[in-house]
Amino acid sequence: QKEVEQNSGPLSVPEGAIASLNCTYSDRGSQSFFWYRQYSGKSPELIMFIYSNGDKEDGRFTAQLNKASQYVSLLIRDSQPSDSATYLCAVNPWAPGGTSYGKLTFGQGTILTVHP
Amino acid sequence: NAGVTQTPKFRILKIGQSMTLQCAQDMNHNYMYWYRQDPGMGLKLIYYSVGAGITDKGEVPNGYNVSRSTTEDFPLRLELAAPSQTSVYFCASSLAERNEKLFFGSGTQLSVL
């Protein structure tokens, strides 16, 4: 069973701080990694994806990937109350023949609360 | 451009009833998926399709069926509803295999009582 685990949360940070969200995955052959944000009662929306080891930055968001440690993280700088949501880590696993048909495995999510 | 449209938004079923959750996308995406999300949990894949006429099981297919007669539509059928099927159901689509972006519908909240 391929698993994706996220830090349990909930995570509470003050406005302006850095929020750090973590995710580990069990399938060493996993190919691509995604962070989705889900506001309460809404559907998930993609905020970051990363394929290669290292950091990828997009505005206030930085995704970090370490395939050797099977670890992916999301940093949110200058956190705002509007960042309060559930963050879902998702992994596109390895599959025979090289294609998984985009069947993502999701973690259980981390609830982030940014308080003023 | 409507994106992914799911209906209904809410539904209450009695045990043993059946229903179909509708999903349609107007982005000409080949890949479509059905996920369910239980409270406090991530999304689990029920069924997926890589094109019209091609469907396959995901992680939790028992109690469900799907069809894909057109590129646009991907309905999910619940037969003999059970309380364990109480969940939020999301339909999603993507353009290609390396799905940098899954487009999600707004979800269907289903309660089986």
Side-chain angles (χ1 to χ4, degrees):
Chain A
Q1 179 74 0
K2 300 168 184 174
E3 295 182 347
V4 176
E5 297 287 339
Q6 297 184 237
N7 47 337
S8 55
L11 178 65
S12 181
V13 301
E15 185 174 356
I18 296 175
S20 177
L21 303 162
N22 304 315
C23 174
T24 59
Y25 58 95
S26 63
D27 183 2
R28 184 169 291 277
S30 294
Q31 301 175 7
S32 46
F33 308 85
F34 307 86
W35 284 99
Y36 282 81
R37 177 177 62 200
Q38 186 177 26
Y39 292 115
S40 180
K42 302 296 184 182
S43 55
E45 58 177 330
L46 181 68
I47 55 172
M48 289 289 288
F49 62 91
I50 186 167
Y51 299 139
S52 304
N53 279 330
D55 294 359
K56 179 181 179 182
E57 187 174 317
D58 184 1
R60 296 186 296 111
F61 298 97
T62 299
Q64 300 175 317
L65 175 62
N66 184 326
K67 289 186 177 181
S69 300
Q70 296 176 235
Y71 177 90
V72 58
S73 66
L74 179 70
L75 300 178
I76 306 174
R77 292 182 301 281
D78 188 23
S79 295
Q80 301 297 310
S82 59
D83 295 325
S84 298
T86 297
Y87 289 81
L88 298 166
C89 174
V91 174
N92 196 352
W94 177 86
T99 178
S100 68
Y101 299 110
K103 294 181 293 179
L104 300 186
T105 300
F106 284 83
Q108 75 274 29
T110 299
I111 298 173
L112 171 66
T113 300
V114 181
H115 52 88
Chain B
N1 193 340
V4 179
T5 302
Q6 281 185 246
T7 56
K9 292 190 182 302
F10 304 93
R11 185 70 185 268
I12 298 175
L13 285 181
K14 294 182 179 179
I15 295 173
Q17 288 185 320
S18 300
M19 75 164 295
T20 299
L21 280 64
Q22 301 293 342
C23 176
Q25 53 92 7
D26 61 0
M27 298 172 284
N28 203 32
H29 286 174
N30 285 323
Y31 290 71
M32 296 189 73
Y33 311 87
W34 274 105
Y35 286 92
R36 60 175 286 174
Q37 185 175 35
D38 298 330
M41 303 295 288
L43 285 79
K44 293 193 181 296
L45 183 65
I46 306 171
Y47 269 94
Y48 70 101
S49 170
V50 301
I54 307 170
T55 62
D56 205 352
K57 297 176 180 178
E59 184 182 356
V60 289
N62 291 343
Y64 307 95
N65 275 300
V66 294
S67 60
R68 184 95 182 270
S69 57
T70 66
T71 299
E72 293 78 19
D73 299 301
F74 190 41
L76 178 71
R77 178 78 177 167
L78 280 73
E79 303 282 1
L80 300 175
S84 61
Q85 293 178 304
T86 293
S87 190
V88 178
Y89 292 83
F90 289 104
C91 179
S93 71
S94 69
L95 179 59
E97 152 65 22
R98 209 153 191 211
N99 55 334
E100 284 82 2
K101 187 171 185 177
L102 276 179
F103 292 79
F104 282 90
S106 58
T108 297
Q109 172 71 64
L110 176 67
S111 296
V112 182
L113 305 176

